């Protein structure tokens, strides 16, 4: 690590101590540790940059450590190249440390100028007098950023202004990425460290379309450990580093790298574009096995819209239904199923030693909208972590009465009613399979297994599912045998 970056790291640590770890979420200040900043700078700037001069944008610059990392990188691969930095930071408390870092960059690099804009980057970007409105010649060659992670409600003024620019985003970090991307010169490059959540799901679909229609992803870096990336700020969000270029020309390959933490050894591999982008979802296959799983699962050619069942989320929110939940059954009560009622691939109700009330009393017997009628269902736990043995845990629930499901439980059903038992059993085998678990990890970067995620999975046909249920083989063998015997139909 360069001495410049070491000094910048000290500014970052001083800022953390000044703000206080407990206040980081309120101030949206999740400063990038030096090893992460150094990794991002290496990904952003190639070994032989073909640039006569560089205009660098650092939105939400904080204490300036990302700019320092790029400056140190340029000192190695392009010493003496003229650099001008636009650092945008709205927090007054960080401006003195930001200025110290940028002045240090100027002394270290030599041919280095900078300007600090004390503004909200989103407001700056969408303002008629802001940098977004400047001519193309005034845009940026490079951008490096660790944007704030807060939600951006549709009712927010900034959200409405962004939509006028063709930017539809549910989170501030995506707004930063979209605006910064628009501020790049043709062929300019941007590196961002963000939550992985924008890689999939309907909320970010418009944002993914925006990025891929105006540019391309060239590099992705993932971390095996959620805990060590921002270790001194206690962030457990699964983060990912993405390099994009403002060039819509299709790429054939994407560089995918991974490391345990930022300063650990990194493995890099080139992956075919088609193995990363599929169905407006971004997968992150970091190994040959990942690609093999994607290829293997291509034999499951059905989507959930092709099948006679769908998936929903349980309707009971326990703290809002306290007057209807009880620890002991009554003549009118029905079972209430929580994630804690799962035991491997079965449901145990009532569960011994479970402190939660496991009985639900409907307002009108058999007519409460929170209930599912008797029948066969596949239940799936909604929450799991990256570190768990299996991300998707499914179990068949054969209900002989009405049942209430906690909203942390998803359920597969047929038009609100039960499913064919063999279909349910086969579906359970499929969802609990190792390959589905592996597949899910490739596109899911959050701790939830939402109904939306389950709708995105590939599925076998009904005939295949029922054949899996009737097989006497172990689950993985049953799936393989069914694919071989029934083909892909």
């Amino acid at each position: 690590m360069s001495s410049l970056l070491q000094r910048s790291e000290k500014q970052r640590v001083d800022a953390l101590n000044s703000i206080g770890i407990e206040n980081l979420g309120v101030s949206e200040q999740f400063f990038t540790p030096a090893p992460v900043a150094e990794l991002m700078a290496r990904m952003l700037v190639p070994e032989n940059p073909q640039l006569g001069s560089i205009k660098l944008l650092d939105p939400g610059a904080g204490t300036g450590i990302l700019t320092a990392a790029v400056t140190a990188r340029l000192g190695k691969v392009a010493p003496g190249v003229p650099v001008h930095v636009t650092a945008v930071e709205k927090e007054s408390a960080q401006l003195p440390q930001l200025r110290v870092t940028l002045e240090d960059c100027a002394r270290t690099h030599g041919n280095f100028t900078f300007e600090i804009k004390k503004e909200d980057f989103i407001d700056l970007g969408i303002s008629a007098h802001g940098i977004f409105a400047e001519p193309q010649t005034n845009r940026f060659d490079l951008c490096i950023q660790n944007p704030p992670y807060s939600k951006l409600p549709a009712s927010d003024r900034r959200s409405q202004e962004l939509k006028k620019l063709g930017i539809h985003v549910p989170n501030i970090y995506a707004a930063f990425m979209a605006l910064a991307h628009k501020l790049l010169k043709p062929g300019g490059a941007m590196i961002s460290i963000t939550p992985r959540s924008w890689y999939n799901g309907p909320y970010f679909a418009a944002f993914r379309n925006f990025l891929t229609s105006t540019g391309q992803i060239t590099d992705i870096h993932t971390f095996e450990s959620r805990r060590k990336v921002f270790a001194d700020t206690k962030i457990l969000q699964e983060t990912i580093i993405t390099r994009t270029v403002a060039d819509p020309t299709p790429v054939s390959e994407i560089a995918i790298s991974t490391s345990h933490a930022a300063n650990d050894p990194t493995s890099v591999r080139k992956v075919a574009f088609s193995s990363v982008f599929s169905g407006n979802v971004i997968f992150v296959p970091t190994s040959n096995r990942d690609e093999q799983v994607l290829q293997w699962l291509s034999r499951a050619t059905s989507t959930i819209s092709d099948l006679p069942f769908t998936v929903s989320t349980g309707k009971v929110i326990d703290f809002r239904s306290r007057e209807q939940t009880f620890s002991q059954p009554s003549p009118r009560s029905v079972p209430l199923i929580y994630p804690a009622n799962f035991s491997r691939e079965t449901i145990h109700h009532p569960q011994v030693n479970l402190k939660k009330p496991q009985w639900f009393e409907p307002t009108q017997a058999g007519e409460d909208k929170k209930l599912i009628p008797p029948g066969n269902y596949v239940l799936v736990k909604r929450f799991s972590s990256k570190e768990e043995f299996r991300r998707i845990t499914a179990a068949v629930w054969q209900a002989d009465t009405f049942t209430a499901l906690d909203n942390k439980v998803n359920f597969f059903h047929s038009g609100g009613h039960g499913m064919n038992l063999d279909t349910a059993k086969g579906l359970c085998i499929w969802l609990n399979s190792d390959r589905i678990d592996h597949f899910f990890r490739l596109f899911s970067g959050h701790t939830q297994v939402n109904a939306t995620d389950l709708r995105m999975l590939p599925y076998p046909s009904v005939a295949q599912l029922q054949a899996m249920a009737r097989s006497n083989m172990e689950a993985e063998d049953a799936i393989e045998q069914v694919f071989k015997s029934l083909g892909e139909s």
Side-chain angles (χ1 to χ4, degrees), residues 104-121:
D104 195 359
C105 289
R107 285 191 299 271
T108 302
H109 189 73
N111 200 347
F112 182 103
T113 57
F114 66 87
E115 59 181 325
I116 297 174
K117 292 182 178 287
K118 183 188 177 300
E119 296 185 55
D120 182 309
F121 178 66

Side-chain angles (χ1 to χ4, degrees), residues 13-25:
V13 173
D14 288 346
L16 284 179
N17 292 335
S18 175
I19 294 172
I21 298 296
E22 69 280 3
N23 298 319
L24 292 179

Side-chain angles (χ1 to χ4, degrees), residues 384-407:
S384 67
S385 70
K386 180 180 179 181
E387 292 79 14
E388 287 189 46
F389 172 71
R390 182 164 283 146
R391 294 296 310 278
I392 297 179
T393 301
V396 175
W397 173 246
Q398 295 178 255
D400 54 9
T401 67
F402 279 83
T403 303
L405 300 176
D406 179 71
N407 79 321

Side-chain angles (χ1 to χ4, degrees), residues 85-319:
V85 173
T86 299
V88 185
E89 176 53 56
K90 69 176 183 178
E91 297 295 335
S92 299
Q94 308 314 317
L95 296 183
Q97 288 151 323
L98 175 58
R99 182 169 293 277
V100 167
T101 296
L102 295 179
E103 289 174 347
D104 195 359
C105 289
R107 285 191 299 271
T108 302
H109 189 73
N111 200 347
F112 182 103
T113 57
F114 66 87
E115 59 181 325
I116 297 174
K117 292 182 178 287
K118 183 188 177 300
E119 296 185 55
D120 182 309
F121 178 66
I122 297 178
D123 283 335
L124 182 65
I126 62 181
S127 169
H129 303 290
I131 54 180
F132 187 79
E134 291 184 0
Q136 187 82 3
T137 55
N138 291 329
R139 295 192 178 179
F140 297 91
D141 302 288
L142 301 174
C143 173
I144 187 167
Q145 62 175 326
N146 175 9
Y149 297 172
S150 300
K151 291 182 179 179
L152 186 62
S155 59
D156 190 294
R157 170 192 58 80
R158 294 171 297 176
S159 180
Q160 295 170 12
E161 291 294 329
L162 286 168
K163 288 176 182 176
K164 295 177 183 178
L165 301 174
I167 298 172
H168 300 258
V169 290
N171 198 293
I172 286 177
Y173 76 78
F176 268 58
M177 290 179 70
L179 284 170
H181 187 76
K182 272 186 168 287
L183 290 169
L184 293 174
K185 294 178 181 177
M190 176 175 75
I191 195 90
S192 310
I193 183 167
T194 66
R196 185 176 164 176
S197 51
W198 70 270
Y199 275 42
N200 69 88
Y203 294 116
F204 288 94
F207 173 61
R208 289 193 298 274
N209 286 332
F210 167 83
L211 272 188
T212 55
S213 64
T214 58
Q216 293 292 340
I217 292 176
T218 62
D219 302 75
I220 296 171
H221 185 90
T222 67
F223 300 98
E224 295 173 0
S225 172
R226 291 187 302 157
R227 299 179 182 277
K228 292 187 177 181
V229 180
F230 292 91
D232 59 358
T233 57
K234 312 298 183 185
I235 297 176
L236 289 180
Q237 175 78 54
E238 185 171 358
T239 52
I240 198 160
I241 299 174
T242 311
R243 184 183 189 272
T244 58
V245 294
D247 183 352
T249 305
V251 296
S252 59
E253 292 183 322
I254 294 175
I256 295 184
S257 56
T258 186
S259 63
H260 185 69
N263 51 1
D264 289 330
T266 297
S267 62
V268 185
R269 63 199 308 270
K270 294 284 188 177
V271 177
F273 178 89
S274 58
S275 293
V276 177
F277 285 86
S278 178
N280 196 24
V281 173
I282 303 174
F283 295 89
V284 189
T286 59
S287 67
N288 287 330
R289 182 168 182 246
D290 292 346
E291 290 192 80
Q292 290 167 2
V293 166
L294 290 172
Q295 182 61 36
W296 189 91
L297 280 168
S298 66
R299 295 188 290 176
T301 56
S302 297
T303 65
I304 200 165
S305 61
D306 301 322
L307 299 166
F309 55 77
T310 189
V311 60
S312 304
T313 301
K315 300 295 192 294
V316 176
I317 302 174
D318 53 2
F319 68 88

